């Protein structure tokens, strides 16, 4: 771990500031939109914009990096992010302007993540790549949770929090661009198509599609729901924080179990637990401690479940297919993420705030039900023949998923070497 920190501390510090800025603007927009009187449907459209841009950026950013290099892409996209964050309160009377800003910010963040994550992957070696990925994911979660703490002590109706988010993003690039870090050669594997991936692992693709919607609802619409449910700004910040605290706390227990049992059984159990947490949120009414517990349970199950589904899909891939699979899995997740906020916005207009946990319950139990059905369609993998679980969260770019795939490949090759020696 010390070796990873010593070689990549500047990159990790920059990523943490970046995640503070991104986490702050996501929740802040949901609250400010409510203050300005935006309808729930308009807010769902605005929040969907981020995932439209993110999906587009994940497809186009690699070509941009190959054309002009990591540093230029990193600096240019970072400048756009900072500018857009400052412009949000300026165009507050035009929700269409917020939607355009969200699309652009999603595109820029996707490109920045691809750049940072490919840099980190290049800086790691076979011995510490798994640790580097774990530390990177921890840093991301710490950044998002810290952002909610900032929100609790600011005034979302003014300019200050938007300026703070912009400044944090601007600062995030300084440690990275001023450090002496070798610029990696950027090469991307041609992705497997969605149809090919579905034929290889139907559960993997369907599960990741549904979890894309779960993540988009959590990341984009939690603050919108909180206002409609009558929560204060401080309560909203605590609730959103617990979603990511749950993700951080439960990631490693799920990973430990993943390598020791039939992954489909674990997928089913984790999805049922998450669906149960969402149903608890439906029943909690306005009792805040139960709402916080529900957020912890849904966040703590949905985020590890994403990495678990990637590991399960890897069990049916050849080693040389794993990196290629990352693009298809990101695309499936992205399509699901675009639909999630739109469906929730429509539901909240007709049903009210209860639609938030209701949709999360439906999505999580949908994963559980499909996993249960797939158990009857295909025999289980031998536990000792499964690939390694690598932590990766739904907000990851294709570079991070490829990073995780490399961890899985290296673990599988090490296991083969060990077996051959015996």
């Amino acid at each position: 771990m010390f070796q990873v920190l010593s070689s990549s501390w500047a990159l990790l510090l920059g990523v943490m500031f970046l995640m503070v800025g991104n986490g702050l603007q996501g929740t802040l927009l949901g609250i400010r939109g409510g203050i300005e009187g935006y309808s729930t449907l308009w807010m769902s459209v605005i929040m969907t914009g981020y995932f439209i841009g993110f999906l587009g950026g994940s497809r186009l950013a690699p070509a941009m990096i190959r054309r002009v290099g990591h540093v230029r892409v990193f600096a240019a996209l970072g400048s756009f992010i900072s500018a857009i964050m400052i412009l949000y309160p300026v165009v507050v009377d035009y929700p269409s302007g917020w939607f355009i800003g969200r699309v652009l910010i999603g595109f820029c963040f996707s490109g920045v993540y691809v750049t940072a994550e490919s840099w980190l992957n290049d800086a790691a070696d076979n011995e510490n790549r798994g640790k580097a990925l774990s530390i990177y994911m921890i840093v991301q979660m710490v950044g998002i949770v810290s952002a909610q703490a900032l929100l609790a002590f600011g005034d979302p109706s003014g300019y200050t929090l938007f300026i703070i988010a912009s400044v944090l993003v601007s600062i995030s690039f300084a440690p990275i661009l001023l450090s002496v870090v070798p610029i990696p050669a950027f090469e991307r594997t041609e992705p497997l198509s969605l149809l090919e991936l579905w034929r290889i692992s139907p559960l993997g693709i369907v599960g990741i599609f549904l979890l894309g919607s779960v993540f988009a609802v959590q990341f984009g619409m939690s603050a919108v729901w909180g206002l409609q449910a009558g929560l204060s700004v401080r309560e909203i910040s605590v609730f959103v924080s617990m979603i990511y605290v749950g993700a951080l706390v439960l990631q490693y227990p799920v990973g430990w179990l993943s390598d020791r049992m039939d992954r489909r059984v674990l997928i089913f159990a984790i999805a049922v637990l998450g669906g149960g947490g969402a149903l608890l949120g439906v029943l909690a009414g306005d009792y805040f401690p139960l709402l916080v517990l529900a957020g912890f349970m849904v966040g703590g199950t949905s985020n590890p479940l994403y990495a678990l589904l990637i590991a399960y899909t890897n069990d049916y891939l050849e080693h040389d297919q794993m990196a290629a699979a990352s693009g298809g899995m990101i695309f499936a997740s992205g399509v699901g993420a675009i639909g999630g906020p739109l469906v929730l916005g429509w539901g909240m207009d007709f049903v009210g705030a209860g639609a938030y946990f209701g949709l999360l319950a439906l999505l999580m139990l949908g994963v559980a039900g499909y996993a249960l059905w797939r158990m009857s369609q295909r025999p289980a993998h031998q536990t000792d023949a499964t690939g390694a679980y690598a932590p990766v969260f739904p907000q990851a770019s294709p570079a991070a998923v490829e990073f995780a795939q490399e961890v899985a490949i290296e673990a599988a090759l090490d296991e083969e070497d060990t077996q051959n020696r015996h």
Side-chain angles (χ1 to χ4, degrees):
M1 181 177 293
F2 179 77
Q3 181 183 355
V4 174
L5 291 174
S6 62
S7 62
S8 303
W9 68 268
L11 181 62
L12 294 169
L13 179 62
V15 166
M16 189 180 71
F17 281 124
L18 190 68
M19 294 307 298
V20 174
N22 195 13
L24 180 58
Q25 66 98 20
T27 309
L28 178 58
L29 286 182
I31 295 173
R32 181 62 178 268
I35 292 173
E36 298 296 333
Y38 291 178
S39 69
T40 304
L41 186 58
W42 247 123
M43 286 306 303
S44 69
V45 171
I46 290 168
M47 293 306 177
T48 296
Y50 178 89
F51 303 101
I52 295 173
F54 196 93
L55 185 58
S58 70
R59 311 288 283 189
L60 298 178
M64 294 167 56
I65 294 170
R66 283 193 296 267
R67 184 175 181 181
V68 300
H70 284 72
V71 173
R72 289 179 179 176
V73 171
F74 209 59
L77 295 182
S79 299
F80 275 111
I81 292 170
S82 293
I84 294 167
M85 286 182 173
I86 291 177
L87 287 174
Y88 276 134
V90 176
V91 296
V92 73
D93 294 329
Y94 305 96
S96 58
W98 274 27
F99 171 74
I100 294 170
R102 284 285 285 179
V103 172
L104 292 174
I105 270 197
F107 180 92
C108 292
F109 266 113
S110 178
V112 166
Y113 290 156
V114 168
T115 308
E117 289 157 3
S118 60
W119 234 324
L120 182 65
N121 191 13
D122 188 76
D125 55 34
N126 291 349
E127 294 182 357
N128 64 20
R129 185 165 276 113
K131 291 180 180 178
L133 182 61
S134 298
I135 293 171
Y136 175 75
M137 294 303 162
I138 292 171
V139 165
Q140 281 195 320
M141 292 296 102
V142 169
I144 292 178
V145 172
S146 299
Q148 311 315 310
L150 284 175
L151 180 66
F153 296 100
D155 179 11
S157 65
Y159 286 82
T160 304
L161 287 173
F162 289 96
I163 294 172
I164 290 173
S166 175
V167 169
L168 286 168
V169 170
S170 297
I171 291 174
S172 72
F173 298 103
I176 301 169
L177 296 179
L178 295 178
S179 63
V180 184
V181 180
I183 297 174
F186 190 86
E187 296 181 0
R188 285 289 305 280
T189 308
E190 287 298 317
L192 290 175
S193 70
L194 277 179
L195 182 59
E196 289 175 297
L197 281 172
W198 184 82
R199 286 172 177 165
I200 292 168
S201 177
L203 175 56
I205 292 304
V206 172
I208 284 174
F209 170 79
L210 294 174
L211 281 178
S213 294
V214 171
F215 171 69
V217 167
Q218 291 175 328
F219 186 75
M221 296 294 289
S222 292
V224 178
W225 161 79
L227 283 180
Q228 189 165 342
L231 302 185
S232 68
V233 172
R234 185 161 295 185
E235 286 173 333
I236 291 172
S237 69
V238 172
F239 175 80
V240 174
S241 295
M242 293 309 294
I243 291 173
Y244 295 102
V245 170
L248 190 58
V249 170
L250 297 183
Q251 182 76 237
Y252 294 96
V254 171
W256 185 86
L257 288 170
S258 169
D259 294 335
R260 290 164 174 81
M261 62 182 292
D262 182 350
R263 282 181 171 146
R264 292 176 305 178
V265 174
L266 185 58
I267 289 169
F268 171 77
I270 295 297
V272 167
L273 182 61
L279 291 175
L280 176 65
V282 173
L283 299 174
D286 59 357
Y287 186 57
F288 186 64
L290 281 183
L291 291 174
V292 169
L293 177 60
F296 179 90
M297 290 177 65
V298 177
T301 53
S302 61
N303 284 273
L305 191 54
Y306 183 82
L308 180 58
L309 284 163
I310 291 176
Y312 171 77
T313 303
N314 285 345
D315 292 340
Y316 297 93
L317 295 170
E318 300 297 330
H319 294 164
D320 57 359
Q321 293 178 308
M322 288 183 182
S326 62
M329 287 188 282
I330 286 288
F331 186 78
S333 175
V335 173
I338 290 170
L342 293 176
V343 173
L344 180 60
W346 176 83
M348 288 176 69
D349 272 348
F350 282 90
V351 180
Y356 174 84
F357 278 114
L359 178 59
L360 289 175
L362 184 64
L363 291 168
M364 294 295 285
L365 293 176
V367 175
Y370 192 71
L372 188 63
W373 181 74
R374 286 302 303 170
M375 288 184 207
S376 68
Q377 303 299 306
R378 175 185 269 180
H381 247 288
Q382 295 292 329
T383 304
D384 57 1
T386 57
Y389 174 98
V392 61
F393 292 121
Q395 68 266 31
S397 78
V401 178
E402 283 192 18
F403 194 167
Q405 302 294 62
E406 290 183 27
V407 173
I409 292 169
E410 287 158 8
L413 292 175
D414 288 343
E415 180 66 22
E416 286 181 6
D417 289 341
T418 301
Q419 292 176 354
N420 290 334
R421 284 197 296 268
H422 288 83

